[in-house]
Amino acid sequence: MGAAGEQTRKASADDGRVLISAEQIQKRVGEMAAEIAADYPEGPLYLISILKGAFIFLADLSRAMKRPAVRIEFMGISSYGNEKTSSGQVKVTRDLDVNIEGQNVLIVEDIIDSGVTLTYLTRVLEQRHPKSLAIATLLDKPERRVRPVEVKYVGFRIPDKFVVGYGLDFAEDYRNLSDIRVLGEE
Ligand code: PRP
């Protein structure tokens, strides 16, 4: 297929093998929300999500959380060069609108791979002196880790496969799928 053909190829909802079904995701997200709500019984809880991949997880997790004072914030992060490797340089491209000093903060991520993004982000946020700082991720690929990351809440540990759906993309496609699929496997 030529370049034009590749560009016009349409992502299909039937692409890929289902790794985690929509039902499994919703059940696990509900469990995580209950656990988090119980761990933070009082005061505002700031959910900080990194664009774009975590937006669906954030929406479902926050709605499943039975506590009123849930604050939703977004950050943008990008890496220099092509790859987020252990030597990769990361920078903030969109910062928070709020001061998190003295607040309970939970970073909400869709996936942790090398750990480079979260190592950088936790360092940036710790410098702002939150009352507490922890991480919740829907997916964790521990085999890929090059930087250790302490993760408090994990939805699913998955093998080192390229996954899409439920916010995760391939070339910006597939984010809208309600399940998580392995591309290239039927
Ligand atoms: C993904 C994911 C994390 C990061 C994890 O974002 O949302 O932010 O990669 O990888 P790491 O542990 O190796 O640092 P991505 O760069 O795919 O951007 P997107 O969320 O906009 O799709």
Side-chain angles (χ1 to χ4, degrees):
M1 193 188 293
E6 282 170 18
Q7 278 174 6
T8 54
R9 179 188 173 280
K10 293 278 186 294
S12 156
D14 294 329
D15 286 354
R17 169 176 66 89
V18 175
L19 183 67
I20 309 173
S21 70
E23 292 73 23
Q24 288 173 300
I25 295 170
Q26 292 308 320
K27 179 169 179 287
R28 186 73 189 111
V29 170
E31 292 168 354
M32 294 175 80
E35 193 182 346
I36 293 165
D39 287 350
Y40 298 89
E42 288 170 1
L45 174 62
Y46 283 78
L47 302 183
I48 296 182
S49 178
I50 307 171
L51 296 167
K52 304 175 191 173
F55 79 105
I56 292 180
F57 177 45
L58 174 76
D60 284 348
L61 185 74
S62 61
R63 285 181 295 177
M65 217 173 271
K66 304 301 179 204
R67 74 195 306 285
V70 174
R71 310 267 169 89
I72 309 288
E73 300 292 337
F74 293 96
M75 289 184 78
I77 287 185
S78 77
S79 52
Y80 298 102
N82 305 323
E83 295 284 330
K84 282 181 194 157
T85 62
S86 55
S87 59
Q89 298 279 319
V90 192
K91 68 171 181 176
V92 172
T93 55
R94 184 202 188 281
D95 208 338
L96 295 174
D97 300 323
V98 292
N99 180 3
I100 57 166
E101 186 173 350
Q103 303 292 348
N104 287 314
V105 173
L106 187 63
I107 299 171
V108 177
E109 259 291 23
D110 52 336
I111 189 165
I112 305 177
D113 200 324
S114 67
V116 169
T117 303
L118 280 175
T119 299
Y120 170 78
L121 185 65
T122 49
R123 201 173 60 232
V124 166
L125 295 181
E126 270 166 4
Q127 287 166 358
R128 301 178 186 186
H129 307 293
K131 181 178 175 187
S132 69
L133 181 63
I135 296 167
T137 187
L138 181 68
L139 304 177
D140 185 14
K141 273 188 191 174
E143 287 169 53
R144 297 266 300 173
R145 199 76 89 252
V146 294
R147 295 278 176 87
V149 180
E150 193 181 324
V151 189
K152 193 169 180 186
Y153 308 98
V154 177
F156 301 92
R157 291 200 169 80
I158 62 168
D160 184 12
K161 303 272 189 187
F162 193 91
V163 291
V164 297
Y166 201 73
L168 291 109
D169 74 309
F170 172 64
E172 297 301 327
D173 286 334
Y174 302 101
R175 291 193 198 273
N176 60 312
L177 300 185
S178 50
D179 47 23
I180 291 171
R181 294 168 187 242
V182 181
L183 268 197
E185 294 181 10
E186 300 303 322

